[in-house]
Each structure stands twice: as structure tokens, then as C-alpha cells.
Amino acid sequence: MCLGLMGDLSAMDYSYLLTPFVAWLVAGSLKFAINSLRAGKLAFGLIGYGGLPSNHSAIVSSMAALIAFKEGIQHPAFGVAVALAFIVQLDANSLRRQIGKQAQAINQLAREGNTALALPLRERIGHTKLELAAGIVVGVLVAYVIATFR
């Protein structure tokens, strides 16, 4: 029997597919709850980029942690996952925060010049180090639970 690239489907470990999705769901739910508490109402308008915890950090950290828990930190996939997590988190903390600052300046210029933008630019795009750290904690905890109970 030729299985090709698919391998033995009966032995497939779906935790690698499930973990980042669960991390995204948990981080997004926490972010919605935190934003709703801060706003004093359901904060559907605050869903998206930015905020505590970072969904992006939770997703990439969950994969790195799952690989560490299941394969060990000596596995090459762990190194790749850590490198990817590092790139994503650097991007969230620097590049995307700078884009948010530019959006804030453009919105201010539009207000001062009485120029109407079709929609104001979203100013909350990047993440602070605390938001990234919270995402990492969420990702690692989700990976731990899935690795332990799967």
C-alpha cells in the first residue's frame, strides 16, 4: 500500500492542528471579556488587532510549546517554531505598533484639517510587551493542557 505524503492517517496526531486554533479561541475570548469589562459593555467594536492577550503570540507560542512538550526542545521543529514565534512577536511589537502610530497621526491631521476620511484608520494595531507576554502565557497553557490530556 502506497501512502505517499499523507502517511498513516490512523496514527495522525491532530493536536498540532487543534492547539493553535484553541489558543486563538481562548486568547480571543479573553480579549473580548477584558475589553468588555473595561468598556462596561459588550465590546464587539474592539475585536481585532491589538489588546490583551495577543492572539498572534498565543497561536505561535502554543505551537512552539506543544512541540517542546511532545518532541522535546532538541527537536528541529522546536527551533523553527521558536524562530517563527520570535518573528511574529517582533512584528507585533514594533512594525504593527508603528503602523498604529501613523494611523493615529493621519486621523489627527484629518480632524485638524476638517478632512473627512471614509472611515477613520484603526489606531490600535500592535501590541505592548505585556500583551505579548499574556499571549505567550495563554499559548503555553493551552499547549500544556492539550499535551497532557490528549
Side-chain angles (χ1 to χ4, degrees):
M1 174 194 285
C2 179
L3 296 174
L5 294 176
M6 293 301 291
D8 182 7
L9 291 179
S10 63
M12 189 166 187
D13 185 351
Y14 290 102
S15 64
Y16 292 98
L17 183 62
L18 181 66
T19 300
F21 176 74
V22 172
W24 169 78
L25 191 62
V26 170
S29 298
L30 283 171
K31 185 184 301 192
F32 178 75
I34 290 167
N35 284 337
S36 294
L37 286 172
R38 286 182 178 165
K41 61 180 181 174
L42 294 179
F44 291 106
L46 297 175
I47 295 175
Y49 298 107
L52 179 102
S54 163
N55 288 58
H56 292 81
S57 286
I59 292 166
V60 295
S61 297
S62 73
M63 284 306 295
L66 184 67
I67 292 167
F69 292 138
K70 294 184 93 164
E71 310 295 336
I73 60 171
Q74 78 287 351
H75 196 278
F78 177 70
V80 173
V82 168
L84 176 64
F86 188 67
I87 291 166
V88 168
Q89 292 170 17
L90 276 175
D91 177 64
N93 183 250
S94 60
L95 177 65
R96 286 184 29 226
R97 286 204 61 194
Q98 292 304 316
I99 292 169
K101 290 178 182 179
Q102 289 178 2
Q104 189 176 26
I106 291 168
N107 287 339
Q108 181 65 32
L109 287 170
R111 283 190 295 273
E112 290 172 0
N114 294 323
T115 304
L117 295 173
L119 289 172
L121 299 174
R122 186 179 196 113
E123 296 177 7
R124 189 70 175 102
I125 296 175
H127 288 287
T128 65
K129 287 176 178 55
L130 176 65
E131 293 165 347
L132 292 174
I136 292 168
V137 169
V138 168
V140 171
L141 289 175
V142 166
Y144 177 76
V145 169
I146 289 176
T148 302
F149 297 107
R150 168 121 176 45

